[in-house]
Structure formats: structure tokens, C-alpha cells
Amino acid sequence: MTSTALMTDMYELTMVRAALHTGQAFHRTLFELFPRRLPSGRSYGVVGGTGRALEAIENFRFDDEQIDYLVGAGVADDMLAEYLASYRFTGNVTGYPEGELFFSGSPLLQVEGSFAEAVLLETLMLSIYNHDSAIASAASRMTMAAEGRPIQEFGARRTHEEAAVAAARAAWIAGFSGTSDLEAGRRWGLPVSGTAAHAFTMLYDTEEDAFRAQLEWLGADTTLLVDTYDIDAAIHKAVELTGGKLGGVRIDSGDLSTEVKHVRRLLDSLGARQTKIIVTNDLDEYQIAALRGAPVDGFGVGTSLVTGSGHPTCGFVYKMVARTLSDDPNAPMADVAKASTNKKTLGGRKFASRALDDQGVAQAEVIGINAAPRVGSNDRMLLTELVSDGTIVGAEPLQAARDRHEAARAELPLDAHRISNAEPAIPTIILDEQGHDLENVYQAGPAPQNI
Amino acid sequence: MTSTALMTDMYELTMVRAALHTGQAFHRTLFELFPRRLPSGRSYGVVGGTGRALEAIENFRFDDEQIDYLVGAGVADDMLAEYLASYRFTGNVTGYPEGELFFSGSPLLQVEGSFAEAVLLETLMLSIYNHDSAIASAASRMTMAAEGRPIQEFGARRTHEEAAVAAARAAWIAGFSGTSDLEAGRRWGLPVSGTAAHAFTMLYDTEEDAFRAQLEWLGADTTLLVDTYDIDAAIHKAVELTGGKLGGVRIDSGDLSTEVKHVRRLLDSLGARQTKIIVTNDLDEYQIAALRGAPVDGFGVGTSLVTGSGHPTCGFVYKMVARTLSDDPNAPMADVAKASTNKKTLGGRKFASRALDDQGVAQAEVIGINAAPRVGSNDRMLLTELVSDGTIVGAEPLQAARDRHEAARAELPLDAHRISNAEPAIPTIILDEQGHDLENVYQAGPAPQNI
């Protein structure tokens, strides 16, 4: 992996430039990355990006070419250039593990280190978490709506080519079965799938020629795309050519709920009872839910997945919440917060737990400021160690995140399964150091943006 | 640049795998990339991605590690692996140049080559064009609404880190003044900007200490962020510290139209008449338009830019429209088209011109099938040569695309300046070989998705 260090807003560097001269660059600070609230209509969010963020921190190094650019562009002076040349993140990071759910105010990532080393990570951490969590959150709604039927991720063509690779990864964490994106398959070990497009059918003089070629060279268990010309004729031919052993048919157009019932009856009447029906026409969680009663064996989802199904970014922010008053690394940290209209932040280190009742059903996201909230016997602490003194300690296989997502989602109350105009599935309760409830701190105000 | 070849849907490779065995892989084909229609409410679109697409075609090579992966994953058999190892695109590409406007059905890219070499580019071309054109189209609405006042691109933190670099590039083509993204500055030579965030103010014991540090080490022409605590107090202090010579103030919260009038009056009353006011709070083209009468000197736009302001992808498709009936490269090509419900395509090579009246005002997008449409003396032909026999011939400096965008947008009728619920600024007229008008071919039907 190449250096990630320049995927950073210029102001992170100019702040460090000034603070190096005054000495504040080395004061110890704590930054937190969190959502002020869930997107409207969503009952929960899914943490995506943790694994990618840890790799990005490891590769956050400024090479000579990058530093030459920064000096030439007037961004860095000599003192900053020297600092950047030896930059390594040496601090500590804690956070929600990947695949975990989040709610308003959940402290998803906590970066503790000198001001310089912590602030330089701001843009990149936000890019990764805002993108990957938006995709994971949308994907989770889709797998929930699919009720166990497999969903393939087919969205590469609808988003930036590198975003597509990350999107496939996030979708897999949230329960997708695989992806069409080969680089995602290679890079992350995801199952890949794909057979043929309409162009393949049109490449041959007849649909039958195309089917014969695909069946001969990809096998009878392939999935044939049957809607290039006439669906019924295509299905008759496909079943005939395979003696009823055809693996699957894909339908990519028309009114799917009507179409699939008709196709299922037709396949059955021709004896192709094992042939699966895969649908792929502009699906999202609402369409998938609407196909609950329909004989669909699998879904392919593209656009709506990679665009976060209406919420392409999460609106996470990265705020300094505490700092020392000197560059003595052992000095105690003081809470800090800003007071801007509608963009207040809560100072102090957050602790987080998910309160569960006796049946293991989630009741609340409990966030304590500067003190771990009292927890019941069944509650789960949510923060885990990710980086310790600059060493990555939180890396894990993707399967762990996938399993965690499934388990955490299963804890939600039934209301969380509502996909239209949903309310947050559980409330966020914020307790100060004395355990007093700070009501609704993160619930009000307009959607956040801070640049 | 590393290989782009695996940023590809698996089915592109399985189609080639089967077609290699039957010989059809070497039949000459023509694919076209186009929008079926503009997104609802938009009066025009802006072509983004051409330059990146040409680089991606040049770097579309399969290395040993990639081929090993494909064989190991069961995607490639020996014949396909051998083909991929020597893959180079040797065909021809024509298309709209970058920065040009587009409308329903505009043939943005035409890829002619063997089926194998042309179909393998499908996913990557769509990824690049769908993303970059979505951003360029949104950016153009914002620069139009800003009426000449500069807009900085500050959205890196709201999108995937590599998408952010491409977004900064697309925004610059559509008239943005610069970006906060340092990698975009380095890679594309864009102007970069940025000074400080709220965290910098909070790093110091007093706001005055922070302002002093920033002014001393970044210069008096820096932009101070004045809304961390109390705006009025901050402005008094900032003017006092600079003797009225402060470069700018940035406001990132509150109701901007009220706020900036107040801040302007305050600055003027303190003698800081040259101090600029930059606003950055969750802006989009509607907000920018609403600030037309307000004393704002510059805008910073983040989320809405990188998410395409409600249309994060363009819905472009890539369809085979003609092919030869044999692998003789000189055989004539026959039109091909599919008949799927609501997803019909028009076979045949498209020609395109923008009809302009005597005053140079755009009247229509005229698309001829298999024949150049008759053009008036003032009309512009829109297709340009991009790749010739595998050699990139359409590369150009970014400035050329930026200039083209400005000139093309200036041709639009006044109606195009409507940003809410707009209709296409000009109609698309499609003419068959005899010059007959094929009415409304691309206007009807649901939003497209084809995977």
C-alpha cells in the first residue's frame, strides 16, 4: 500500500505548522470521531472502515516527493517539513470494532496523541469512516430485508473505482454474499460472482448460440440472462439446452414481482424446479422487502448500495475533546469543547456500553463522560483497543466483523426492522461524571458539516 | 499508476472466457457509454472523467499476481489467462471532450475494438464517468449559482479518500477555485487552500493566543475561523491584532445570510474593509443562490459536492451498439440492440452535434444514427478522437477542460440557470440514417440500472 499521508486537508498541515513554532503541537490531545445523530429515517448505523483505517494509519508516512510538493506549494515551511519527514503515529487509538452498530453520539474512534500526530489523521479517518460506514449501514438494511436470501454486490460501475473496492468490503461485513468486483475479491478475499451481460447475447447471431457458448464454457450451473429479447422463449430454450439442469436465470428488467412469479411457474412447468431466479433491476432495501413473498432466490444490488441508499455519507465529525496544558506527556488532560451555534461538542473522554435486558435485547446506548457508565450484568462495553503506542493491535479477519455485525443486529428490538421512516431503535443516554443524564445533547439541530 | 485491470466486474471476464473458445471474442464491436436521461430536476450535465479514463486505459494491464488470482479463484481458465497476460487495448475511442455538457442520450464515449478488448473496459469506464461526471455536474450548478464568487472544494472528509481526489479534479473543471485536498494538489496541480479548524483555537488557552500563533506563522493575510466561541469578540480581537489588515474570516455555523451581513458591518465599522468573509456551513447550490445578495467573498463546499448534490451517480450505461459478423476486422458492422422492457437501446454508431442559433445560443443536442446529422453553420460537432489504434491521442491539460466547460455553459439558454425542478435546457433530437426524427427515445421510463 502506498502512502496515505497526502489524502489530507491542507488545514491540518497549516495548523501543525503554526503549532510547531509555538510548542502546542506536542501537547497531548484526545480527538473523537462520532455521529451527532443517525440519518433521518434510520433505526441504526453500522461501523465500517475500522480495518482500512488501521492500515491507513500504518501507511501514513510522508515520502520525499510528497514533502517536496508541500514545500514547493508553500504549504510546509522547513520546520514542518522536518517534522513530517519523521512522522509516525505513536499514540493510542480506541474505538468501536468494525461491524458493531452505532447510534447518535457513539464515540466510534478515539485518537490520543500529540496535537500534531492526532490532527493530521483527521481527514483520512473521516473519509474512511464516513464512506465505509455509509455503505455498511445501507447494506445492513438490505440484508435485513432479504431475510436470509443472498445478495450480491454489483455496484462497482456506479461509483469511483477505488470506492467500489471499499464498498464491496463494507457490504460483505453487513451480510452480503459476495461481489462482482475482482479487485475486492483479490484484495480482501471476498467471494466473487458474475456470468454474462446482455452484450454477450447480442454478440452471437442467435440467443441460442450465446446460451450454448455460455453453457459449454462456464458450465450448466451458470446463470443465464434471459431478458435480452423475449423472456419466455429464452427460458424454454435454456431449459431445453440443459435438460432442465440449468443453474439459474437472471432477470434485469420489467416489474419484478409479477415477472418472477411467472418465471417460477414456467421453470417449474418445464421441470426446472432447481433452477434459481436471480433479480437485479435497480434494487434497494424497499424493493427487496417488497419481494418477500416472491420466488426470488437471490438479489444483485448496485447503485443503491454504493450510494448508501439515500445517505451516501455519514456526517461523522472528528473533534478535540481534551488536551493537556503543557507538553509534559504525563500532565492531566482537561476537557475542551466549542460553543458554535448548533455545533456544540461535549468535552471529555467518552466511555460507551450497550445496555441489554435479561433477554439480551438492546435497551440503550449509554455514553459516560470521563467515567465508564454503570453497567448491568448483561451489558456490553463497546470500546476496544486498536492502536497501542503506535502499534496496531486491533487488526482482525473480516469474518470477525461480519460475525459481530450479525450478532449485534440480532440484539435490536423488533422495531429496528422497520425500514421506512424509522426512529432510532434505542435511545442514546449520556451521563456526566456524576452519572447525571444530559438529555438530548445529540438529538437536535440541523445535519452537521464541519470543514 | 498501478494496474487498473481488476477494477472490473467478474462477468466481463467470464464473457470473454466463453467467447474466446467460440471465436466471437475477436469480432469487432462498438460500445457506447451514454445517459438514458438527465437526473430529474437537472437542466444539463457536465462530462467529467475523460482524462482519468484515458490514463486508466493506458494502465489496463494484467500483471502476474492478478492473473494468478484470477486462475486461483476459478475466474480464468488457461485460454483466458493467456489472453489477459498480453492484453493491450488496440482499438479506437472517440467521445465528448472533458468539460463539455451532455443531455439525454449524448454518446459520451465510443469504444471500438474486438469484443474482448472493448467489453473488458466496461466497468472501469462506467466507474470513472459515473463518478466524475456526477461531481462535475453538481459543481457546475454551484459555480453557476455563485456568479463568479470563488468556491473552494472542502469535501475530502465526506467521501472515500481516492474518490475525494477525483472529486476535487472534477470540481475544478466545473469552475471551482481550488481544493483542500493535498493529494489532488500534488496529482493534478490544483490550487490548494486551508488555514485552521476549531481544534486549533481550542488547542490554546485563549482564542487570542490561537489567533496570534496563526497570524505570526501563517501571515496576516490568513483566514481566521471566528465562530469557536463568540463571533463578535473574535472579530474585534482579530482586527485589533492585525491593525485591520486581516485577510479573511471564516464562518462555519449559524444562519449565514443574517450572520454575514452582521459580520460585514462589524468588520467595516472596525476599519477592516478589505477583510474577506468566507462561509462554509453545509452549503449546496441552493444555499449559495440564497446568499446572492449577501456580502460573501467566497464559499467552501464539502458534503454536497462530493455526493453530487442529491445525484451521487449518473446512471450512465455502456452498451454494444454494433458488431461485425466475423472476425475479419474489415467486415462491415451491423447494428445491434436489445429489447428488454424499459431498457431498449438504439443500435448503430451515433454522431452528435450541438445546434446553435445565430446568436450562438444552444437549441438542441442532435444525434444522428450511422450518419452525421445535418448541421447549421453555427453548430458544433461534439465527438473528438481520444484513442487511435491503441494510442492515447486525446490527453490535454486540465485547463482545457475547464475552459471548455465555461464556454459550453455560456451557450445555454437562460432557462438553464434555473436550479430547482429544472427541465433539460435543450431537447435531444435523434435522427435515423434518413434524417427522420425518432421522438423521445430516451425520455421515458424509470431510472436505468444495468448490471
Side-chain angles (χ1 to χ4, degrees):
Chain A
M1 193 179 183
T2 50
S3 168
T4 54
L6 280 201
M7 298 195 170
T8 298
D9 286 333
M10 176 169 153
Y11 79 2
E12 318 287 9
L13 275 78
T14 47
M15 286 191 278
V16 173
R17 175 176 169 169
L20 282 169
H21 286 284
T22 63
Q24 265 80 356
F26 303 106
H27 286 200
R28 200 156 184 86
T29 56
L30 175 64
F31 282 81
E32 289 183 342
L33 184 152
F34 60 95
R36 292 185 195 274
R37 64 193 67 77
L38 291 176
S40 129
R42 294 284 178 90
S43 56
Y44 65 95
V46 178
V47 180
T50 318
R52 290 213 310 120
L54 294 179
E55 280 190 21
I57 291 173
E58 201 150 32
N59 291 293
F60 201 92
R61 310 282 172 93
F62 293 85
D63 65 28
D64 290 346
E65 190 205 340
Q66 293 174 323
I67 290 174
D68 288 349
Y69 161 72
L70 293 171
V71 172
V75 176
D77 60 10
D78 290 349
M79 196 172 182
L80 178 59
E82 194 181 326
Y83 175 79
L84 297 179
S86 62
Y87 180 91
R88 303 284 183 275
F89 182 75
T90 64
N92 298 312
V93 179
T94 49
Y96 280 39
E98 196 158 14
E100 183 55 85
L101 308 188
F102 69 83
F103 300 89
S104 303
S106 298
L108 302 185
L109 195 71
Q110 300 174 312
V111 179
E112 186 181 342
S114 73
F115 173 75
E117 62 183 348
V119 82
L120 285 179
L121 295 177
E122 174 177 22
T123 309
L124 187 56
M125 293 299 102
L126 284 171
S127 291
I128 293 173
Y129 274 86
N130 270 323
H131 176 267
D132 291 15
S133 298
I135 307 302
S137 299
S140 179
R141 289 162 58 81
M142 295 172 191
T143 54
M144 191 164 68
E147 297 183 325
R149 287 184 283 185
I151 313 181
Q152 300 289 330
E153 189 282 304
F154 286 170
R157 63 189 53 199
R158 301 299 182 189
T159 188
H160 183 281
E161 63 275 19
E162 272 289 343
V165 180
R169 179 184 179 280
W172 197 76
I173 287 170
F176 272 51
S177 307
T179 177
S180 60
D181 191 291
L182 291 167
E183 177 61 15
R186 190 196 66 80
R187 198 181 300 176
W188 307 112
L190 305 185
V192 289
S193 70
T195 51
H198 294 107
F200 186 79
T201 306
M202 299 193 294
L203 178 65
Y204 291 81
D205 292 342
T206 67
E207 191 173 51
E208 178 172 345
D209 289 348
F211 284 2
R212 282 185 188 279
Q214 186 176 334
L215 291 165
E216 180 168 3
W217 298 106
L218 301 181
D221 62 343
T222 192
T223 297
L224 291 174
L225 182 57
V226 292
D227 65 351
T228 306
Y229 306 115
D230 178 89
I231 290 189
D232 285 17
I235 288 173
H236 274 100
K237 186 55 68 181
V239 174
E240 181 194 321
L241 292 174
T242 55
K245 306 280 187 221
L246 179 62
V249 296
R250 178 161 76 92
I251 305 171
D252 183 45
S253 55
D255 174 54
L256 292 175
S257 61
T258 317
E259 202 82 83
V260 293
K261 282 177 203 154
H262 168 74
V263 168
R264 183 74 269 163
R265 276 195 300 268
L266 180 57
L267 285 168
D268 290 351
S269 75
L270 297 170
R273 295 182 182 280
Q274 305 304 314
T275 300
K276 292 186 168 159
I277 300 176
I278 312 298
V279 297
T280 56
N281 185 30
D282 212 8
L283 299 176
D284 57 20
E285 62 268 45
Y286 307 100
Q287 283 279 322
I288 292 170
L291 288 166
R292 272 181 184 151
V296 172
D297 300 290
F299 304 93
V301 176
T303 307
S304 66
L305 185 273
V306 297
T307 59
S309 198
H311 295 291
T313 188
C314 287
F316 297 150
V317 294
Y318 184 92
K319 295 295 170 192
M320 187 165 73
V321 295
R323 66 173 173 87
T324 61
L325 304 180
S326 74
D327 50 358
D328 172 3
N330 297 315
M333 291 212 276
D335 297 358
V336 291
K338 64 169 173 156
S340 317
T341 316
N342 286 328
K343 285 187 173 181
K344 288 186 179 60
T345 50
L346 276 177
R349 178 187 289 275
K350 313 302 181 301
F351 294 78
S353 68
R354 186 147 309 142
L356 304 171
D357 70 9
D358 292 347
Q359 279 74 47
V361 177
Q363 302 295 307
E365 191 84 338
V366 187
I367 298 172
I369 299 178
N370 289 325
R374 268 176 311 171
V375 283
S377 59
N378 223 5
D379 298 356
R380 291 197 294 115
M381 297 305 288
L382 296 168
L383 292 165
T384 182
E385 198 176 22
L386 298 172
V387 181
S388 175
D389 293 334
T391 303
I392 309 296
V393 297
E396 60 178 9
L398 267 190
Q399 182 70 47
R402 183 176 164 96
D403 293 345
R404 181 179 298 115
H405 166 262
E406 194 177 352
R409 191 173 64 181
E411 292 170 350
L412 291 179
L414 278 182
D415 265 4
H417 289 253
R418 181 173 177 149
I419 56 171
S420 294
N421 301 316
E423 298 289 327
I426 55 174
T428 297
I429 298 170
I430 300 182
L431 305 176
D432 67 12
E433 283 169 74
Q434 287 73 43
H436 297 141
D437 191 347
L438 301 174
E439 212 174 328
N440 286 334
V441 167
Y442 285 116
Q443 315 299 320
Q449 188 200 31
N450 191 276
I451 54 176
Chain B
M1 193 179 183
T2 51
S3 166
T4 54
L6 281 200
M7 298 194 169
T8 299
D9 285 333
M10 176 168 152
Y11 80 2
E12 318 287 10
L13 274 80
T14 47
M15 286 191 277
V16 173
R17 175 176 170 169
L20 282 168
H21 287 283
T22 64
Q24 265 78 358
F26 303 106
H27 286 200
R28 199 154 183 87
T29 56
L30 175 64
F31 282 81
E32 289 182 343
L33 183 152
F34 60 95
R36 292 185 195 275
R37 65 194 66 77
L38 291 177
S40 129
R42 293 285 178 92
S43 56
Y44 66 96
V46 178
V47 180
T50 317
R52 291 213 307 121
L54 295 179
E55 279 190 20
I57 291 173
E58 201 151 32
N59 291 294
F60 201 92
R61 311 281 173 93
F62 293 85
D63 66 26
D64 290 346
E65 190 205 340
Q66 293 175 323
I67 291 174
D68 288 349
Y69 161 72
L70 293 171
V71 171
V75 177
D77 60 11
D78 290 348
M79 196 171 183
L80 178 58
E82 194 180 325
Y83 175 80
L84 298 179
S86 62
Y87 179 91
R88 302 284 182 276
F89 182 75
T90 65
N92 298 313
V93 180
T94 47
Y96 280 38
E98 196 157 16
E100 184 54 86
L101 308 188
F102 69 82
F103 300 90
S104 304
S106 298
L108 302 186
L109 195 72
Q110 300 174 313
V111 179
E112 185 180 343
S114 72
F115 173 76
E117 61 184 347
V119 82
L120 285 179
L121 296 178
E122 174 177 22
T123 309
L124 187 55
M125 293 298 103
L126 284 171
S127 290
I128 292 173
Y129 274 86
N130 270 323
H131 176 267
D132 291 15
S133 298
I135 307 301
S137 299
S140 179
R141 289 161 58 80
M142 294 171 191
T143 54
M144 191 165 67
E147 297 184 325
R149 287 182 282 184
I151 313 181
Q152 301 289 331
E153 189 282 304
F154 286 170
R157 62 190 53 198
R158 301 297 182 190
T159 188
H160 183 280
E161 62 276 19
E162 272 289 346
V165 181
R169 180 184 177 282
W172 198 76
I173 288 170
F176 272 51
S177 307
T179 177
S180 61
D181 191 291
L182 291 167
E183 177 61 15
R186 190 196 65 79
R187 199 181 298 176
W188 308 112
L190 305 185
V192 290
S193 69
T195 51
H198 294 107
F200 186 78
T201 305
M202 298 193 295
L203 178 65
Y204 290 81
D205 292 343
T206 67
E207 192 173 49
E208 178 172 345
D209 290 347
F211 284 2
R212 282 184 188 279
Q214 187 175 334
L215 291 165
E216 178 167 4
W217 298 106
L218 301 182
D221 62 342
T222 192
T223 297
L224 291 174
L225 181 57
V226 291
D227 65 350
T228 306
Y229 306 114
D230 178 86
I231 290 189
D232 285 17
I235 289 174
H236 274 99
K237 185 55 71 182
V239 174
E240 180 193 322
L241 291 174
T242 55
K245 306 282 188 218
L246 179 63
V249 296
R250 178 161 76 91
I251 305 171
D252 183 44
S253 55
D255 174 53
L256 291 176
S257 60
T258 317
E259 202 82 83
V260 293
K261 281 178 204 154
H262 168 73
V263 167
R264 183 73 269 162
R265 276 196 299 268
L266 180 57
L267 285 168
D268 290 350
S269 75
L270 297 170
R273 295 181 182 279
Q274 305 304 314
T275 300
K276 291 185 169 160
I277 300 176
I278 313 297
V279 297
T280 55
N281 185 30
D282 212 8
L283 299 177
D284 57 20
E285 62 269 43
Y286 307 100
Q287 283 279 324
I288 291 170
L291 288 166
R292 273 181 185 152
V296 172
D297 299 291
F299 304 93
V301 175
T303 307
S304 66
L305 185 273
V306 298
T307 58
S309 198
H311 295 291
T313 188
C314 287
F316 297 149
V317 294
Y318 184 93
K319 296 294 170 193
M320 187 164 73
V321 295
R323 66 173 172 86
T324 62
L325 304 179
S326 73
D327 49 0
D328 172 2
N330 297 315
M333 291 211 276
D335 297 357
V336 291
K338 64 171 174 156
S340 316
T341 316
N342 285 329
K343 285 188 174 181
K344 288 186 178 60
T345 50
L346 277 178
R349 178 186 290 275
K350 313 303 182 300
F351 294 79
S353 68
R354 186 146 310 141
L356 304 171
D357 69 10
D358 293 346
Q359 279 73 47
V361 177
Q363 303 295 306
E365 190 84 338
V366 187
I367 298 172
I369 298 178
N370 289 325
R374 268 177 311 170
V375 283
S377 59
N378 222 6
D379 298 356
R380 291 196 294 114
M381 298 304 290
L382 296 168
L383 292 165
T384 183
E385 199 176 21
L386 298 172
V387 181
S388 175
D389 293 335
T391 303
I392 309 296
V393 297
E396 60 178 7
L398 267 190
Q399 182 70 46
R402 182 175 165 97
D403 293 344
R404 181 179 297 115
H405 165 262
E406 194 177 353
R409 192 174 63 180
E411 293 170 350
L412 291 180
L414 279 181
D415 266 6
H417 289 252
R418 179 172 177 149
I419 55 173
S420 293
N421 302 315
E423 297 289 327
I426 55 175
T428 297
I429 298 171
I430 299 181
L431 305 175
D432 67 14
E433 282 168 75
Q434 287 73 44
H436 296 140
D437 190 348
L438 302 174
E439 212 172 330
N440 287 335
V441 166
Y442 285 116
Q443 315 300 320
Q449 186 199 34
N450 191 276
I451 54 174

